[in-house]
Amino acid sequence: MKRVIGRLIFVFVSGLFRICLSSDPAVAPAGSDGWKLDSQSGNIALYSRLRPNSSLREFKAVGEIDASIRTVHTVIDDVENYSSFMPYTVECRIVKRESGSILFYQRLSPKIVSDRDYTLRVHEKSWRGQNGVVFLHRFEAANEFGPAEQKNFTRVKVCNGGWLLEPAAGSNKTNATYSIDTDNGGKIPAFIANPASEIGIRKLFAAVRQQVKDPKYKATDR
């Protein structure tokens, strides 16, 4: 039974959090606004706090990515190709492009649980920071603008968060902060969902760190 639960945690959430692909532009400093450090390994500091009136937790992860900020930004912005490098993504398409934001629909197939789907609105901003240009990808659920809910898929109705990308001082690397607040879709109990979220976020960082090595993204630095 323990093996089954562990496998469910790994497969479902590692898929969901890699894709459910941003919170407030001013990401809260570690230790403030209820954030507590849960763990620190693999060059990732992982924080969490309880959601209001819920046993589920919000998460924030801070880590370095060995690539320029423009390369990392381009990887995260490559929505139309998520199915080629984001595990369990079987469909991902742009619904509409607007000034300063895009709407895209995404469906995941974790295999052990039913397919999850959602539509997100992603806002992109950039500004000049102390060490160079800073990028923010902030997203929230916008299912009312995407395909109608289908009985064969579990609709994720809460999915808010973001990526804050800042140039690392004195190097061609990126300091990345990822935040996520989601219901995961369906009725997954907190004692499974919360530990699973931590696994999924680490897998997300691993996926981005691998994808930035593709030369087609580095070409954007020229």
Side-chain angles (χ1 to χ4, degrees):
M1 184 65 177
K2 290 182 179 179
R3 290 184 178 181
V4 172
I5 293 175
R7 181 61 178 166
L8 175 62
I9 290 174
F10 177 81
V11 174
F12 167 61
V13 183
S14 65
L16 177 60
F17 280 94
R18 287 188 214 190
I19 316 308
C20 188
L21 269 161
S22 285
S23 185
D24 195 297
V27 177
S32 68
D33 295 334
W35 291 108
K36 295 183 179 180
L37 179 63
D38 287 343
S39 62
Q40 192 163 6
S41 63
N43 197 16
I44 299 172
L46 185 61
Y47 303 84
S48 72
R49 65 183 179 187
L50 281 174
R51 297 176 62 198
N53 303 314
S54 174
S55 56
L56 293 175
R57 304 188 73 85
E58 300 176 49
F59 290 90
K60 178 177 65 175
V62 181
E64 187 177 78
I65 299 175
D66 190 10
S68 75
I69 190 168
R70 291 191 180 277
T71 295
V72 180
H73 163 71
T74 303
V75 168
I76 295 173
D77 202 37
D78 193 16
V79 173
E80 292 172 301
N81 285 311
Y82 277 3
S83 60
S84 69
F85 66 88
M86 292 292 193
Y88 307 108
T89 300
V90 294
E91 184 179 358
C92 192
R93 54 187 170 83
I94 293 177
V95 175
K96 185 179 181 182
R97 294 184 183 274
E98 299 177 336
S99 177
S101 69
I102 62 170
L103 288 158
F104 73 88
Y105 169 80
Q106 194 161 14
R107 179 165 62 91
L108 313 178
S109 184
K111 308 303 181 185
I112 289 182
V113 294
S114 63
D115 284 14
R116 262 61 180 163
D117 73 342
Y118 46 81
T119 297
L120 296 180
R121 183 189 298 276
V122 181
H123 305 269
E124 296 184 11
K125 294 182 179 180
S126 64
W127 60 90
R128 177 65 61 176
Q130 183 177 357
N131 300 311
V133 177
V134 176
F135 287 101
L136 173 71
H137 295 243
R138 180 172 55 85
F139 60 83
E140 69 269 350
N143 291 315
E144 64 274 24
F145 297 103
E149 191 170 349
Q150 300 185 44
K151 64 179 181 179
N152 294 330
F153 306 150
T154 298
R155 176 59 51 90
V156 176
K157 297 182 178 179
V158 177
C159 189
N160 307 309
W163 283 98
L164 179 66
L165 307 175
E166 302 173 284
S171 70
N172 197 36
K173 298 181 180 181
T174 300
N175 292 324
T177 299
Y178 176 76
S179 57
I180 184 71
D181 175 14
T182 181
D183 62 1
N184 299 311
K187 297 181 179 180
I188 300 176
F191 76 88
I192 292 179
N194 288 329
S197 297
E198 298 185 18
I199 295 173
I201 290 171
R202 292 188 180 280
K203 294 292 181 180
L204 170 63
F205 264 81
V208 175
R209 284 170 170 169
Q210 179 61 37
Q211 194 66 12
V212 296
K213 298 177 182 179
D214 190 321
K216 73 177 182 180
Y217 298 107
K218 293 183 180 181
T220 62
D221 290 339
R222 300 193 186 113

